[in-house]
Amino acid sequence: MSEGEPAKRLPRVLNAPSGAAALIGLVIGSGIFRVPSLVAGSVESVGAIALVWAAGGALALAGSLTVAELACLYPKAGGPYVFLREAFGPLPAFLYGWTRLLLLVPASVGAISLICAAYLGSLIPGLEIEERWIAAGLILLLTAVNYRSLLWGAILENVVTTAKVLALVAVAMGAILLGDRAAGALAGPPQLAPSSWSGFGLALVTVMWAYSGWSSFAALAGEVKEPARNIPRALLGGITVVIGVYLLTNAAYLYVLPVEDVAGSSLVAVDAATLVMGSSGAALVAILVVIATFGSVQASMMFNPRIFYAMAGDRLLVGPIGRVHPRFFTPHVAILVTAVLGILFVLIRSFEQLAQAFILGLWPFQILTVWAVFRLRMREPEADRPYRVWGYPAIPALFLVASVLMVLNALVQQPGLTLFGFGLILAGVPFYLLARRRHPPAQGDG
């Protein structure tokens, strides 16, 4: 491979708890505070709300178990980019990195930092008019931390993730213990069927925004100690905590609010807490959202630069992006590129535009990443696999079938937005050909 093994220059400093904290920190961001109202509006019944969140958790768990096998097989910086390169060749891998460079990373970093800034503005009078600049300042602050040290970033993420998980559980339990069940959606017999199954499919796409991030953890595989042992533990432990927190939080919303109120609220967490605890509840939730989104942006600044770093090692991005800082041992140029992209999107896009663009651009590559397990097992059956996905082939196959159906439903229900995402992916083909013309792969690279 032409990678030149750049990942060997990044020290292995992360253990399983730090990896799990980073994964939880990336996944639990703005989604749990914005997505529940969108889901309730799409499915319009308590049972269907529970089902769509459970289905999303099952998909994320199946995907995480599958990615764990790939990350242990290729414990290098870059994660999904590396898996796609090894399974399908450099073009699909480049298109993944291209889409991430132009769409996924700016959308995720930008959207979540905007939510953090909005809630910070609600706590501090006068700041709300400067949301975009506050979001840009947040990105710059976390860029400095990660530029200096992955270990510093991991310590910060451990603290923030612990705080937000405990706070989310405390707020949810407070709503259940102190709230009036008779006023909420759980007062009567639950209606199980969604208002429409096509709406259920679109709701699942939205829920996967809240669960997104599990595959990105593998981008740090080159910096995890004892990867065969710690990567599966971090993935399984992290995504299990996320599922539990999400189900508990949604139960708390529905305990104190009817479905139509959840659907009609853009700040459902604030509404639920205010109903139970008054104005102090609203302030508490605002602080919680700031903590959660701060941690999510921090985790994104840990994961995403490693993908661009690996691409530069393959000479598919300009060489300086693949550099490691001689003193700090971080992919410092890739971190700066990630920051610039996030700030640019913060200044020109809204949260809703960023969230929709993110999930529809990401999911085709999630499907390819899980498919890579089947392809690599057939092509390299004798390869050393220190971890094998549980329930193979049923678990990854379940993920693939559900994911393909979800994307097809999005194509039918939202053809313009879905086709735009696919078009942006394919627009990377000429840039790949240009990169390969300038830097042909070394013999044996594929």
Side-chain angles (χ1 to χ4, degrees):
M1 295 181 298
S2 63
E3 187 181 5
E5 300 298 338
K8 289 184 178 178
R9 301 175 58 196
L10 296 174
R12 295 189 178 275
V13 298
L14 295 180
N15 56 22
S18 292
L23 186 149
I24 296 167
L26 180 64
V27 176
I28 302 180
S30 60
I32 192 59
F33 306 104
R34 297 293 294 267
V35 169
S37 60
L38 301 176
V39 171
S42 296
V43 299
E44 300 178 352
S45 75
V46 172
I49 291 171
L51 181 60
V52 76
W53 281 95
L59 278 179
L61 181 59
S64 298
L65 292 171
T66 306
V67 163
E69 175 174 322
L70 295 169
C72 292
L73 183 61
Y74 300 108
K76 302 176 181 180
Y81 168 79
V82 174
F83 311 152
L84 294 175
R85 184 192 66 202
E86 297 297 330
F88 304 108
L91 177 56
F94 174 84
L95 293 178
Y96 169 77
W98 155 271
T99 308
R100 210 161 182 94
L101 184 69
L102 290 188
L103 180 63
L104 304 185
V105 169
S108 62
V109 172
I112 299 168
S113 60
L114 279 173
I115 295 300
C116 184
Y119 275 88
L120 188 62
S122 72
L123 290 169
I124 304 176
L127 289 185
E128 65 274 7
I129 61 174
E130 305 292 344
E131 284 180 10
R132 294 185 183 275
W133 295 109
I134 293 171
L138 168 64
I139 295 172
L140 287 175
L141 171 64
L142 295 177
T143 298
V145 172
N146 289 279
Y147 187 102
R148 176 59 180 83
S149 169
L150 174 63
L151 191 57
W152 285 16
I155 292 171
L156 175 61
E157 191 61 43
N158 288 347
V159 173
V160 174
T161 295
T162 301
K164 74 176 169 183
V165 168
L166 292 177
L168 268 170
V169 171
V171 169
M173 291 304 299
I176 292 171
L177 294 174
L178 302 176
D180 180 9
R181 182 173 181 269
L186 302 182
Q191 179 184 345
L192 300 179
S195 55
S196 74
W197 286 106
S198 61
F200 182 91
L202 288 178
L204 185 57
V205 172
T206 308
V207 161
M208 295 318 297
W209 155 264
Y211 279 112
S212 63
W214 49 266
S215 64
S216 297
F217 168 78
L220 287 172
E223 293 156 278
V224 175
K225 301 175 183 177
E226 301 180 57
R229 177 172 176 264
N230 288 325
I231 288 175
R233 291 184 176 186
L235 278 162
L236 180 59
I239 204 64
T240 300
V241 170
V242 170
I243 293 169
V245 169
Y246 280 180
L247 293 177
L248 177 63
T249 304
N250 275 278
Y253 294 157
L254 295 169
Y255 190 88
V256 297
L257 295 170
V259 171
E260 54 270 21
D261 285 6
V262 174
S265 173
S266 60
L267 301 172
V268 61
V270 171
D271 290 347
T274 301
L275 187 63
V276 176
M277 293 175 275
S279 59
S280 60
L284 179 63
V285 168
I287 294 171
L288 174 56
V289 174
V290 170
I291 294 172
T293 50
F294 179 88
S296 191
V297 177
Q298 159 58 20
S300 188
M301 294 301 298
M302 292 171 65
F303 292 122
N304 289 305
R306 273 71 186 174
I307 297 169
F308 306 146
Y309 165 78
M311 291 180 69
D314 282 344
R315 298 183 295 180
L316 293 174
L317 292 178
V318 292
I321 295 177
R323 291 177 183 170
V324 175
H325 196 283
R327 179 183 172 192
F328 304 141
F329 301 103
T330 58
H332 60 299
V333 180
I335 290 171
L336 292 176
V337 169
T338 303
V340 170
L341 292 170
I343 291 172
L344 286 175
F345 264 53
V346 157
L347 298 179
I348 63 176
R349 296 289 180 183
S350 70
F351 170 82
E352 288 76 12
Q353 291 169 323
L354 292 171
Q356 290 175 337
F358 177 86
I359 197 64
L360 290 173
L362 172 68
W363 213 252
F365 295 106
Q366 303 279 51
I367 293 171
L368 276 181
T369 298
V370 172
W371 185 12
V373 168
F374 292 96
R375 185 172 176 85
L376 290 169
R377 285 218 189 180
M378 289 186 293
R379 199 176 71 189
E380 302 175 16
E382 303 302 323
D384 180 27
R385 290 175 169 80
Y387 170 83
R388 291 174 177 263
V389 58
W390 297 346
Y392 179 90
I395 293 297
L398 173 66
F399 178 93
L400 289 178
V401 171
S403 299
V404 169
L405 290 175
M406 184 174 66
V407 172
L408 289 176
N409 182 69
L411 183 60
V412 172
Q413 299 297 320
Q414 296 179 325
L417 188 62
T418 306
L419 290 173
F420 173 78
F422 292 165
L424 184 61
I425 293 170
L426 294 176
V429 173
F431 289 91
Y432 168 79
L433 297 175
L434 178 63
R436 274 302 182 223
R437 185 177 179 181
R438 294 179 60 191
H439 300 290
Q443 187 171 2
D445 284 354

